[in-house]
Amino acid sequence: MTLGLVAALAGLALLDSTSIGTLFIPIWLMLTPGRLKLSRFAVYLGTITVFYFAVGVLIVLGASQVVGHLDGKVVDWAQLVIGVLLFAISFRFDGKKKLDTGKWQRRTSGSTPALAGVAVLAGVVELATMLPYLGAIGMMSAADLNAGQVGLLLAGYCLVMIVPALLLLGGRLALGERIEPFLTRISTWFAEKGASTTGWILGIAGFLVARDAIARLFFV
């Protein structure tokens, strides 16, 4: 396990932290009228964190079986191609397109058990777009890591993903309603610029994944 790998994974995790499931639904929970219920917030964020970790473990197990039967250089070249494709796909996202966030906001008003279901649903919906996470898992699988190290990195990745939401929660608890205009501006900005943000996330993720492959192919 190298410092460069850890830094790249942390960068990808911070990119993943800006998704609907890990940041913007928590923001909407903070903007719910009335007293902030920490139990609902904890149930939601805990559920989606465990969901991402469980999915990561399953993918790593499958990836390790595939990687184990391939030559290391083949894996590195495949990772490089994936990184370049992610970077290329990022240019296809239209920054003028607005996201339909209203349906997610309505779902957050249900009961606490229903909120856990919303967390799982958000995770399932994002499976198709969790490309930074998939890129991070590919980097872990290609590296020479044991099961304990992979598990530790996956857990760390999932925790870093929720750090921005926890920081905003700390601000909400400390400042109360005074921070609500700021949270509202973030929510509005995401609805208007979410597609463009996704493009930037894919582009940066593609760069990090490709850079990691290039480092192993040509500099190790």
Side-chain angles (χ1 to χ4, degrees):
M1 187 188 304
T2 65
L3 182 60
L5 175 62
V6 173
L9 293 177
L12 290 170
L14 287 175
L15 291 175
D16 256 337
S17 72
T18 60
S19 71
I20 288 181
T22 54
L23 183 61
F24 293 95
I25 289 180
I27 286 178
W28 297 329
L29 289 174
M30 295 179 220
L31 290 172
T32 301
R35 181 172 173 271
L36 178 64
K37 296 181 180 179
L38 288 178
S39 59
R40 287 171 56 80
F41 195 92
V43 165
Y44 175 83
L45 215 54
T47 300
I48 197 165
T49 302
V50 171
F51 176 84
Y52 266 95
F53 178 78
V55 169
V57 169
L58 292 175
I59 295 175
V60 165
L61 290 175
S64 62
Q65 294 296 319
V66 175
V67 171
H69 291 85
L70 296 175
D71 178 77
K73 291 296 183 182
V74 173
V75 174
D76 292 338
W77 278 108
Q79 181 179 321
L80 176 59
V81 170
I82 291 172
V84 172
L85 286 175
L86 287 178
F87 189 81
I89 291 172
S90 68
F91 291 95
R92 296 182 59 85
F93 282 79
D94 184 3
K96 297 180 180 180
K97 183 179 179 180
K98 292 186 177 182
L99 297 179
D100 181 13
T101 58
K103 61 181 181 180
W104 289 107
Q105 289 176 290
R106 290 189 292 271
R107 285 170 177 158
T108 60
S109 60
S111 64
T112 299
L115 193 59
V118 171
V120 173
L121 178 61
V124 170
V125 169
E126 290 178 345
L127 284 178
T129 58
M130 58 192 303
L131 298 178
Y133 193 33
L134 295 178
I137 291 172
M139 291 165 64
M140 294 181 210
S141 300
D144 186 18
L145 303 175
N146 59 44
Q149 289 174 320
V150 171
L152 182 63
L153 286 175
L154 277 176
Y157 189 101
C158 293
L159 291 176
V160 171
M161 282 175 57
I162 63 172
V163 165
L166 292 175
L167 291 176
L168 289 176
L169 175 63
R172 175 68 171 80
L173 293 174
L175 301 175
E177 296 181 355
R178 287 174 290 175
I179 199 176
E180 288 187 0
F182 174 68
L183 297 176
T184 300
R185 284 196 296 272
I186 296 177
S187 177
T188 302
W189 175 86
F190 179 71
E192 295 177 348
K193 304 293 185 180
S196 177
T197 302
T198 300
W200 276 99
I201 290 173
L202 293 180
I204 296 172
F207 169 78
L208 291 174
V209 171
R211 186 202 63 82
D212 179 72
I214 289 172
R216 285 198 304 275
L217 283 168
F218 303 107
F219 299 102
V220 176

